């Protein structure tokens, strides 16, 4: 009875693990959850107050399909001030989460059968979004030695007549790797030469531990023209449940995205949009504070992991994930999937939730999220060490 489209979907392993962990917690088991892709901080006070004010001021009605003008202007100001990117509000489309911004992007630029290049390991929703919108995902396997960052040569080799776009997630979920300016330039030049779109998912951009972050769209006017920049409030402002993401792109694409959004969802929640204006204008200190805490946890976690026999990590320069190489334990596990076996055992026997790398396209790795208390991270890693030692 269900459509072929639905039947082709792969259920989300991360959602499966976190609901299993939640159920175990409900059953009274003290699960340490290191699987979550969500900040463990509350939404900043100023944003909460602005949300309450929006309700009291009756900003509770339908509004513009592309998002309210004041928020689109605040997004332009942020992109201009932080990323050296000049956009006008009619180039911005605000959506219900970056997830929908990405889906709407694909609906707007791809035709059935068009290929979208996805470097692996990848955030697990990308292939499903491409499938759902009628496209075909073409994976590019990247190398651990290069922190799983796609090279210009690898990108070039994957392009063919059907290629419409490439997704570049920077900083990356699941690896935390961050592309340098030169690496981005090399990739962008290949895209320009081959006339393909760059879907730049920069949702973790404000959680970057390097001295500076380069937005790919800022490299040149020609590159900006071919880029659909995706960002949002969920991660940096700890506003996951408020559901707000946005795209910055050409006026033509923005108009088309607005038309699709108008029919499918009207627009994102008006109350959330009013709250987000405050988030963009006045929460720089909150963002810096959260980043400082993530950085301490990252340093501690990476140090502990690298001291465990056989483990190594992708250099985590951004986001709040560490992608741990468990490949050295492959000989000790008979199960077909190494990462699934380790993560299943860790949850069942050690009560620690982690995500198997197979969900992101690499079975030799597991993903740890340090959007969790430091003592939980340390205890979780102590249990991982014990588990691996007993294999
Ligand atoms: C790489 C990446 N892009 C986009 C999203 C979606 O974010 P949002 O909550 O704004 O839909 C996530 C969330 O996990 C993510 O990890």
């Amino acid at each position: 009875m269900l459509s072929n489209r639905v039947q082709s979907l792969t259920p989300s392993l991360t959602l499966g693990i976190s609901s299993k962990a939640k159920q175990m917690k409900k059953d009274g088991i003290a699960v340490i959850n290191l699987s979550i892709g969500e900040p463990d901080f509350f939404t900043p006070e100023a944003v909460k107050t602005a949300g309450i004010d929006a309700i009291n001021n009756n900003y509770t009605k339908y509004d513009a399909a592309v998002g309210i003008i004041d928020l689109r202007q605040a997004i332009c100001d942020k992109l201009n001030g932080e990323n050296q990117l000049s956009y006008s509000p009619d180039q911005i489309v605000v959506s219900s989460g970056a997830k929908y911004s990405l889906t709407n992007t694909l609906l707007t630029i791809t035709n059935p059968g068009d290929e979208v290049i996805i470097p692996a390991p990848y955030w697990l929703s990308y292939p499903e979004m491409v499938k759902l919108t009628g496209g075909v995902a073409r994976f590019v396997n990247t190398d651990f030695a290069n922190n799983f960052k796609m090279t210009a040569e690898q990108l070039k080799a994957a392009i063919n007549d059907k290629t419409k776009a490439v997704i570049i997630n920077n900083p990356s979920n699941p690896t935390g790797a961050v592309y340098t300016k030169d690496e981005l330039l090399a990739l962008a030049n290949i895209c320009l030469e081959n006339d393909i779109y760059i879907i730049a998912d920069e949702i973790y951009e404000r959680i970057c531990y390097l001295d500076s972050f380069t937005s790919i769209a800022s490299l040149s006017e020609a590159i900006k023209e071919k880029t659909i920049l995706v960002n949002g409030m969920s991660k940096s402002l700890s506003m996951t449940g408020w559901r707000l993401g946005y795209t910055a792109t050409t006026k033509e694409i923005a108009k088309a995205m607005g038309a699709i959004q108008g029919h499918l969802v009207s627009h994102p929640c008006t109350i959330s949009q009013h709250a987000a204006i405050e988030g963009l204008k006045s929460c720089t200190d909150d963002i810096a504070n959260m980043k400082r805490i993530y950085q301490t946890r990252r340093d501690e976690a990476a140090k502990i992991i690298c001291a465990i026999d056989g483990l190594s990590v992708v250099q985590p320069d951004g986001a709040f994930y560490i992608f741990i190489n468990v490949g050295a334990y492959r000989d000790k596990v008979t199960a077909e999937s190494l990462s699934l076996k380790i993560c299943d055992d860790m949850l069942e026997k050690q009560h620690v939730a982690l995500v198997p790398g197979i969900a992101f396209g690499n079975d030799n790795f597991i993903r740890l999220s340090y959007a969790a208390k430091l003592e939980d991270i340390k205890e979780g890693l102590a249990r991982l060490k014990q588990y691996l030692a007993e294999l």
Side-chain angles (χ1 to χ4, degrees), residues 37 97-100 102 123 126 169 173 201 203-204 234-235 240 243-245 321:
K99 258 186 183 168
Y100 188 71
L102 285 159
W123 179 47
Y126 294 144
N169 177 209
N173 174 10
D201 181 351
I203 187 128
Y204 293 100
S234 297
K235 313 291 177 173
T240 43
R243 308 308 302 130
L244 284 181
Y321 308 106

Side-chain angles (χ1 to χ4, degrees), residues 69-330:
I69 180 66
D70 289 354
L71 177 56
R72 285 183 289 129
Q73 183 59 58
I75 290 167
C76 291
D77 295 344
K78 180 258 177 241
L79 293 173
N80 203 1
E82 276 183 32
N83 308 100
Q84 296 76 51
L85 281 166
S86 169
Y87 288 101
S88 51
D90 53 358
Q91 294 179 278
I92 308 295
V93 178
V94 186
S95 296
S96 301
K99 258 186 183 168
Y100 188 71
S101 299
L102 285 159
T103 309
N104 199 355
T105 298
L106 293 165
L107 282 172
T108 304
I109 63 169
T110 57
N111 286 314
D114 281 351
E115 290 192 3
V116 177
I117 295 175
I118 302 176
Y122 45 78
W123 179 47
L124 47 74
S125 289
Y126 294 144
E128 307 309 313
M129 287 169 173
V130 170
K131 261 192 274 178
L132 273 177
T133 53
V136 176
R138 174 171 284 265
F139 300 105
V140 170
N141 285 318
T142 59
D143 303 319
F144 178 42
N146 194 35
N147 280 320
F148 289 126
K149 289 188 275 186
M150 180 171 60
T151 63
E153 292 70 36
Q154 288 169 333
L155 173 60
K156 195 172 175 179
I159 294 174
N160 62 41
D161 290 350
K162 291 187 183 147
T163 311
K164 195 63 176 276
V166 56
I167 302 182
I168 299 178
N169 177 209
N170 188 35
S172 156
N173 174 10
T175 67
V178 176
Y179 284 88
T180 64
K181 191 173 178 175
D182 287 347
E183 288 165 342
L184 290 173
L185 192 56
L187 292 172
N189 282 335
I190 300 289
C191 295
L192 289 188
E193 277 164 27
N194 291 278
D195 199 24
I196 63 169
Y197 285 114
I198 302 164
I199 302 174
D201 181 351
E202 298 183 356
I203 187 128
Y204 293 100
E205 157 245 349
R206 284 167 131 184
I207 312 173
C208 174
Y209 313 108
L210 300 174
D211 291 340
S212 64
F213 171 84
T214 305
S215 174
I216 193 164
S218 70
L219 292 173
S220 76
E221 208 40 52
I223 294 169
K224 187 175 154 215
E225 280 285 302
K226 289 304 286 184
T227 301
I228 294 106
L229 182 66
V230 180
N231 206 326
M233 321 301 167
S234 297
K235 313 291 177 173
S236 57
L237 281 162
S238 199
M239 289 181 69
T240 43
W242 300 71
R243 308 308 302 130
L244 284 181
Y246 61 86
T247 47
T249 178
T250 61
K251 288 181 190 174
E252 187 192 12
I253 293 178
K255 194 171 167 202
M257 289 179 76
I260 294 177
Q261 176 153 286
H263 283 299
L264 291 189
V265 289
S266 291
H267 59 75
C269 172
T270 316
I271 302 157
S272 298
Q273 292 190 69
H274 280 276
I277 296 171
E278 194 58 35
L280 288 177
K281 282 190 176 161
S282 73
C283 291
T284 326
D285 288 351
D286 298 87
I287 293 170
N289 201 27
M290 290 189 262
K291 192 170 104 173
R292 217 172 12 251
I293 296 170
Y294 288 136
Q295 193 162 358
T296 308
R297 294 168 178 174
R298 173 202 69 158
D299 293 347
E300 280 285 323
K303 199 170 74 193
I304 298 170
I305 294 163
C306 291
I308 298 175
D309 208 21
L311 299 190
S312 51
V313 299
V314 176
Q315 177 64 35
D317 287 327
F320 38 65
Y321 308 106
I322 301 189
F323 210 42
I324 309 172
N325 185 356
V326 290
Y329 289 86
R330 188 160 281 284

